[in-house]
Amino acid sequence: MEMLLVANWKANKTLEQAFTWLDYISGINLPEGLTIIIAAPYPLIAPLKGEIMANQLNIKLASQDISKFENGAYTGEVTCEAVLDLVKYCLVGHSERRTNFGETDQDVAQKSSLLIKNNIVPIVCVQDQTTPVPQGVRWVAYEPPSAIGSGEADETSHIGQVVSQINAATQTKVLYGGSVDEGNIKSIADGSGVSGFLVGGASLNPEEFASLVSRL
Ligand code: PGA
């Protein structure tokens, strides 16, 4: 079964730390069907891509966000065109963006549509089954805000309920995110019907991340 394991580094890591991580993770065995994706800060994406290509690594890249605008006079923005040769995926509507940067469901819809147009796969973050999922989106990450960074992951049975409701309503594949760690990843994978994980804190240290992989 196809599974995604996304390392969401958030606003962390120097280039040197990123290379050290990549070097470590490129040496581990991946279970069949598992795709590892690094959601890296913008300036790290191009050098990581260079390293991945040079060493023919089986690791994909994602952007953590994208502009809702196409190219133009939008100082500070990063557009789809700027990253489309570098990333295959992009997170959209992470709860930290909704809370800290006022991102709305409409912004999420605009971003998703531009990404799809540019052949980048949006992974839309939702807080539960009531968050709208824009048309054409194939991957969703269920991340209850109370579970993010709290050490208190959602109950496997509840994750299972939300996953089946989202599956039924939107025909998307659903990742789970929120305090995933080496102690809970296997039981959530086995008991909830998720198609992978979005991991923040436990993705930063390469040894800890490798330990997540070894449990899948
Ligand atoms: P966490 O973050 O694993 O640190 O809870 C998950 C996320 O925000 O994507």
Side-chain angles (χ1 to χ4, degrees), residues 4-133:
L4 304 186
L5 183 61
V6 187
N8 179 12
W9 287 351
K10 307 191 180 184
N12 292 292
K13 289 205 187 293
T14 62
L15 183 57
E16 192 186 338
Q17 290 166 343
F19 279 170
T20 303
W21 191 102
L22 192 63
D23 192 42
Y24 189 92
I25 295 300
S26 63
I28 67 173
N29 285 329
L30 296 187
E32 207 178 306
L34 182 73
T35 302
I36 288 185
I37 301 169
I38 307 171
Y42 289 127
L44 305 186
I45 292 175
L48 282 169
K49 175 77 174 181
E51 203 63 13
I52 287 169
M53 299 284 281
N55 296 294
Q56 299 183 344
L57 304 180
N58 188 16
I59 293 178
K60 307 281 185 238
L61 291 166
S63 165
Q64 297 175 6
D65 184 31
I66 202 69
S67 181
K68 65 179 171 183
F69 300 110
E70 300 194 81
N71 291 355
Y74 303 106
T75 301
E77 289 292 275
V78 175
T79 63
C80 286
E81 192 181 275
V83 297
L84 69 83
D85 292 328
L86 303 171
V87 302
K88 179 159 182 213
Y89 301 88
C90 178
L91 304 182
V92 190
H94 190 282
S95 110
E96 286 151 14
R97 297 222 55 88
R98 295 179 193 258
T99 309
N100 300 319
F101 303 96
E103 196 157 310
T104 63
D105 291 335
Q106 200 193 333
D107 295 333
V108 171
Q110 259 175 272
K111 291 177 180 196
S112 300
S113 138
L114 279 179
L115 287 163
I116 292 167
K117 193 168 124 189
N118 284 282
N119 290 319
I120 301 170
V121 178
I123 301 175
V124 171
C125 303
V126 301
Q127 72 175 53
D128 57 32
Q129 67 279 6
T130 67
T131 309
V133 176

Side-chain angles (χ1 to χ4, degrees), residues 8 10 94 96 143 147-149 178-180 198-201:
N8 179 12
K10 307 191 180 184
H94 190 282
E96 286 151 14
E143 295 208 308
I148 296 176
S179 296
V180 172
L198 180 51
V199 186

Side-chain angles (χ1 to χ4, degrees), residues 170-184:
T170 64
Q171 295 178 336
T172 54
K173 295 196 173 182
V174 185
L175 313 180
Y176 170 75
S179 296
V180 172
D181 61 27
E182 54 189 29
N184 60 28

